[in-house]
Amino acid sequence: MRVAGIDYSMTSPAICTHIGKRWNFQNCKFYYLTSIKKLGKKFHKGQFKGTLQPKKHDNDEKRFDMISHWAMKRCLKFDFVAIEGYAFGATG
């Protein structure tokens, strides 16, 4: 089964994907958006992949659109996709 989970933060979104019949951390890949240059690369033999996003956007709508395209590109081939509920500015 191919499963993806999305933390759809508007500032630092992340996706965890898993392919395999049984749960195994080695079968997971993690994707995230970052504005920090040194984090915009692959780590741990490609299991973690950071994508560098622009620090400035023309407006929030363009930034949200870019984030949604980034997420969709990584989740289209999966059988099940779950999205975390949004916290609307929660702290702690």
Side-chain angles (χ1 to χ4, degrees):
M1 177 173 252
R2 299 168 299 184
V3 178
I6 303 172
D7 175 354
Y8 205 70
S9 163
M10 291 296 144
T11 55
S12 56
I15 299 171
C16 173
T17 62
H18 182 273
I19 298 175
K21 292 181 181 180
R22 296 188 63 140
W23 173 256
N24 186 330
F25 184 76
Q26 284 70 30
N27 292 342
C28 292
K29 289 199 176 189
F30 301 88
Y31 304 90
Y32 59 92
L33 281 175
T34 182
S35 58
I36 301 170
K37 189 174 182 178
K38 69 179 181 178
L39 297 178
K41 60 183 177 181
K42 293 181 182 180
F43 295 96
H44 199 270
K45 299 178 184 176
Q47 190 172 9
F48 296 84
K49 184 176 182 200
T51 300
L52 194 59
Q53 65 177 328
K55 289 188 180 198
K56 297 275 184 175
H57 298 275
D58 293 339
N59 56 53
D60 281 341
E61 289 80 8
K62 286 184 180 179
R63 181 168 59 92
F64 300 155
D65 192 45
M66 185 273 304
I67 292 171
S68 69
H69 284 284
W70 171 83
M72 290 294 294
K73 184 177 175 182
R74 281 145 189 86
C75 294
L76 282 176
K77 65 181 179 179
F78 287 86
D79 302 315
F80 182 80
V81 178
I83 188 166
E84 179 183 39
Y86 195 69
F88 294 103
T91 59

